[in-house]
């Protein structure tokens, strides 16, 4: 288990009901972490439609997570 | 007889002249505008004029009243054509009678200048080369130079020229810049006046909608009185009123794969101010395939994101973060989920800022980063956006080479099954085909290059082909291919679909293509 600092954006913020939290997780990658959270909070978008940034840079969903990483999940948005 | 009319067909001058007959008049001055065979260095073959008639008539009546008040004339009349005009056709006619010629000439000049400057009339120029463009007839209102206190263009920009990053040289760059704004909703209506006021020389507007009352809480360049009128034309009117030295062009067709290259070709920079994934992906792809930088903003309620997609930089594109749009309806737009009016104001302002920085060559642009800004917490994040090696557009082995509607003609990315009849020939030709039938079942033609992979030995963990081009799996009836596709999708594959109807559906397509 390791601590991850999470930030949510747009639709995910809405579905999670908050913008940021710190969680303890055994997930090794953002994809695993997203699946875990999606199961817990009922996120409507599949993992392959979510962008992720780790420590202020966009990253692949299968990159390995490290303790205290800041992870931002970013759903697509199109409003204008 | 009304003093001003709009005529849809060639008109007769005799009744106009007789209506002006007046024994007090010693002078009768007329002006006619004709369709000429060239404009801006291009050969013109014909013109289409379009106007909002009620607004045009009311404005023209006001102009005639003003002429009557300003000059010692007895009467004035004017006619403006709409519809299709051929070379040499009379487009405008003005007639003024006065006791003396001086006042008649001056009033006539005043009326034509004001009509050109103020009437909401648009012309579509058809060129000898076959293409056509809508041109705002109002640009560079000459009357402001003739009758208003003389406006010195440099004075408009005095406060920004003082900035060391701008100066006279920077202002000249702005004047030479040509910026296309796609979408005149919340974002566009905030970005456009900022660019016009800053002196960006040429501004194109792409918008096909009319003004709706629900637009007004966030689209501050429009007036409540104009609900129902075309937004592009209202916006162009507003921009030219704000800065008469700016040339505004209107493109009132929806931007799509067919017209995108032709429209974008006239501009150095595009602002994506749209509210839908179809156009956002189209412009993202255009940034790389046509080489025009695109500044994109997208909103969700109280938050938004801003990025610049630039093929000349080493930054990633929209597809590097989101390879494909979400399933239809999964993420709402402003109409569906709501938006606080100031959010597009701020993001449109940020797009204009990014555009000015780009034109002026300033540092800190978002070519390799995305800015997220949340107005709930006032938190901003600047996320680095490197290119992804496996990006289908800007990666090492790109598979996207033509502009297309991401939601039409291509396989619908959000569904697992495809109906081949709905797909375009180019999509079918570019696809990879996997035949899951057992050897004993294989009859009939299959597309060239089809890979055989009997379902009995199919292993989704080692399917025998790599992710890459759009891949269509088929079997005899479409059931086994659906199961195989579901397994691949569950393992993170994106670009695979099952062919609905199986080999029979495929045969129908192959026969049709052969014919």
């Amino acid at each position: 288990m390791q601590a991850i600092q999470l930030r949510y954006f747009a639709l995910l913020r809405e579905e999670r009901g908050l913008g940021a939290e710190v969680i303890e997780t055994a997930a090794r990658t953002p994809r695993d972490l997203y699946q875990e959270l999606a199961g817990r909070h009922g996120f409507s978008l599949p993992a392959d439609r979510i962008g992720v940034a780790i420590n202020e840079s966009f990253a692949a969903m299968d990159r390995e997570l490290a303790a205290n990483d800041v992870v931002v999940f970013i759903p697509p948005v199109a409003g204008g | 007889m009304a003093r001003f009319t709009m005529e849809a067909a060639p008109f007769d001058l005799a009744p106009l002249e007789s209506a002006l007959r007046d024994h007090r008049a010693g002078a009768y001055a007329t002006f006619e505008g004709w369709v000429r065979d060239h404009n801006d260095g291009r050969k013109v073959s014909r013109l289409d004029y379009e106007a909002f008639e009620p607004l045009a008539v009311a404005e023209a009546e006001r102009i005639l009243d003003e002429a009557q008040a300003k000059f010692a004339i007895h009467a004035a009349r004017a006619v403006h054509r709409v519809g299709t005009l051929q070379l040499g056709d009379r487009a405008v006619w003005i007639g003024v009678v006065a006791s003396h010629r001086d006042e008649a000439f001056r009033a006539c000049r005043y009326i034509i200048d004001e009509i050109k400057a103020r009437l909401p009339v648009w012309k579509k120029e058809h060129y000898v080369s076959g293409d056509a463009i809508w041109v705002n007839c109002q640009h560079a209102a000459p009357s402001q130079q003739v009758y208003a206190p003389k406006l010195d263009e440099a004075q408009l920009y005095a406060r920004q020229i003082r900035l060391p990053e701008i100066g006279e040289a920077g202002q000249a760059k702005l004047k030479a810049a040509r910026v296309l704004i796609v979408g005149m909703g919340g974002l566009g209506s905030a970005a456009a006046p900022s660019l016009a006021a800053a002196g960006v020389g040429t501004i194109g507007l792409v918008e096909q909608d009319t003004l709706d009352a629900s637009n007004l809480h966030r689209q501050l360049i429009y007036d409540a009185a104009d609900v129902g009128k075309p937004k592009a034309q209202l916006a162009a009117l507003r921009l030219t009123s704000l800065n008469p030295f700016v040339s505004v062009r209107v493109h009132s067709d929806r931007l799509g794969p067919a017209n995108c290259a032709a429209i974008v070709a006239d501009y150095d920079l595009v602002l994506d101010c749209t509210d839908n994934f179809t156009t956002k992906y189209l412009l993202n792809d255009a940034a790389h395939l046509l080489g025009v930088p695109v500044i994109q903003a997208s909103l969700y309620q109280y938050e938004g994101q801003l990025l610049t997609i630039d093929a000349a930089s080493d930054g990633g594109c929209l597809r590097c973060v989101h390879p494909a749009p979400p399933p239809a309806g999964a993420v709402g737009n402003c109409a569906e989920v709501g938006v606080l009016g100031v959010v597009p104001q701020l993001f449109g302002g940020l797009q204009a800022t990014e555009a000015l920085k780009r034109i002026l060559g300033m540092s800190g642009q978002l070519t390799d980063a995305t800015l997220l800004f949340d107005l709930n917490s006032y938190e901003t994040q600047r996320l680095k956006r490197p290119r992804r090696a496996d990006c289908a557009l800007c990666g090492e082995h790109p598979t996207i080479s033509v502009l297309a509607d991401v939601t039409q003609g291509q396989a619908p990315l959000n569904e697992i099954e495809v109906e081949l009849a709905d797909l375009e020939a180019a999509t079918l030709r570019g696809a990879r085909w996997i035949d899951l039938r057992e050897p004993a079942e294989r009859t009939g033609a299959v597309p060239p290059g089809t890979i055989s992979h009997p379902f009995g030995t199919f292993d989704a963990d080692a399917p025998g082909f790599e992710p890459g081009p759009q891949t269509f799996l088929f079997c005899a009836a479409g059931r086994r291919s659906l199961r195989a596709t579901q397994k691949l999708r569950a393992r993170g594959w994106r670009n695979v679909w099952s062919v609905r109807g199986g080999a029979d559906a495929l045969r129908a397509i192959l026969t049709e293509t052969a014919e």
Side-chain angles (χ1 to χ4, degrees), chain A residues 13-14 49 56 58 74 78-79, chain B residues 275 299-300 303 322 325 384:
Chain A
R13 175 200 305 275
E14 199 179 28
R49 290 296 184 276
E56 302 193 332
F58 283 103
I74 302 150
Chain B
D275 63 354
L299 312 175
Y300 190 85
E303 1 179 359
H322 293 110
K384 287 195 200 76

